[in-house]
Amino acid sequence: MSQPRILSGIQTTGNMHLGNYLGAIRNWVELQSQYDCFLFMADLHAITVPQDPKTLAENTLKLAATYIACGIDPEQSTIFVQSQLPEHSELAWLFNCITPLNWLERMIQFKEKAVKQGENVGVGLLDYPVLMAADILLYDADKVPVGEDQKQHLELTRDIAGRVNDKFGKKKRYVLKVPEPMIRKEGARIMSLTDGTKKMSKSDPSELSRIDILDPPD
Ligand code: TYM
């Protein structure tokens, strides 16, 4: 019998930190023997904020190496780069055409990031969760193991899948599988070391706010 399927990814925006490890990758390692795992480097999501192309390419490879170093076995799990599969962007476009704008405008992460970028906020930042829905729904994923900060994006993914099924499905024949979020209680939200009210984040300008997986032991 085929195993249920898991899909998840991490943005290629710099070194992975303890929050990414405890909220996501540690769980993937445990799950890979019971699930058919698709784990990817989210480089298209990374470019929703400005990136240097050379550094982005290096970070993508570094992230793949970090997955493997943390225990993801490429013989057991499928590891891939998001931008190498044009289907992700193509499906995102189709979803754009049926997703109401106000579903995106209420996303907490968009509101937080938009404040930081001011008037220059890019459309990609608003559309980010639609691409994430495409990542997940393209693979008929059963479960999506993530940290708590991604919960709202997964609810949107489920809403988009529901809308497609209502519009284009036939009775009892769905078009898209509606995935379940998988958020473990332990490690779901690791906080910043400099501000206990904020989550640990790669985009925090202070390096003292986080522990990177590749930090030296001292
Ligand atoms: P990203 O790159 O921000 O984070 C990757 C994973 O790490 C988790 N995480 C945390 N967990 C606990 N405490 C923290 N402080 C913390 N910070 C981050 C995140 O919840 C996530 O599981 N949009 C996603 C990447 C993505 C994706 C997808 C994930 C793109 N497409 C499809 C799942 C399915 C993101 O930016 O994650």
Side-chain angles (χ1 to χ4, degrees), residues 7-11 17 19-20 23-24 40 42 45 128 132 135-136 144 146-147 149-150 187-190 199-200 202:
L7 177 127
S8 200
I10 297 183
Q11 281 191 71
H17 56 65
N20 300 135
F40 68 101
H45 279 102
Y128 178 113
M132 187 160 158
D135 296 336
I136 298 167
V144 185
V146 284
D149 61 329
Q150 297 300 317
R189 191 171 176 85
I190 303 296
K199 64 164 188 171
M200 187 176 285
K202 282 185 233 168

Side-chain angles (χ1 to χ4, degrees), residues 25-177:
I25 202 162
R26 181 184 59 167
N27 303 328
W28 306 350
V29 174
E30 281 173 23
L31 295 164
Q32 64 182 338
S33 59
Q34 308 144 47
Y35 290 88
D36 184 18
C37 289
F38 284 77
L39 306 169
F40 68 101
M41 282 69 80
D43 55 346
L44 294 176
H45 279 102
I47 60 169
T48 52
V49 294
Q51 301 288 340
D52 168 58
K54 191 165 168 271
T55 312
L56 183 69
E58 282 166 9
N59 282 340
T60 305
L61 282 181
K62 214 194 263 176
L63 186 60
T66 313
Y67 283 3
I68 294 168
C70 288
I72 300 298
D73 178 359
E75 299 282 326
Q76 226 172 6
S77 301
T78 304
I79 303 177
F80 62 97
V81 180
Q82 184 187 32
S83 64
Q84 291 188 356
L85 292 144
E87 290 83 354
H88 288 246
S89 317
E90 288 167 7
L91 186 59
W93 179 255
L94 298 181
F95 289 163
N96 275 336
C97 298
I98 56 124
T99 304
L101 183 60
N102 66 2
W103 285 11
L104 301 179
E105 284 171 335
R106 64 172 95 104
M107 292 292 114
I108 296 164
Q109 274 199 9
F110 169 70
K111 286 194 211 160
E112 285 173 358
K113 289 189 181 172
V115 169
K116 284 188 205 156
Q117 294 199 7
E119 287 193 355
N120 284 327
V121 60
V123 175
L125 210 55
L126 177 72
D127 204 29
Y128 178 113
V130 175
L131 178 59
M132 187 160 158
D135 296 336
I136 298 167
L137 298 173
L138 194 57
Y139 292 83
D140 272 346
D142 294 284
K143 295 199 171 150
V144 185
V146 284
E148 210 207 40
D149 61 329
Q150 297 300 317
K151 194 171 168 201
Q152 200 187 24
H153 292 160
L154 285 178
E155 282 160 9
L156 183 93
T157 299
R158 290 169 56 84
D159 288 345
I160 291 176
R163 198 169 169 92
V164 170
N165 289 340
D166 286 347
K167 270 183 183 291
F168 307 109
K170 301 223 170 70
K171 247 190 193 163
K172 293 194 180 158
R173 263 199 72 212
Y174 62 80
V175 182
L176 296 169
K177 187 177 270 183

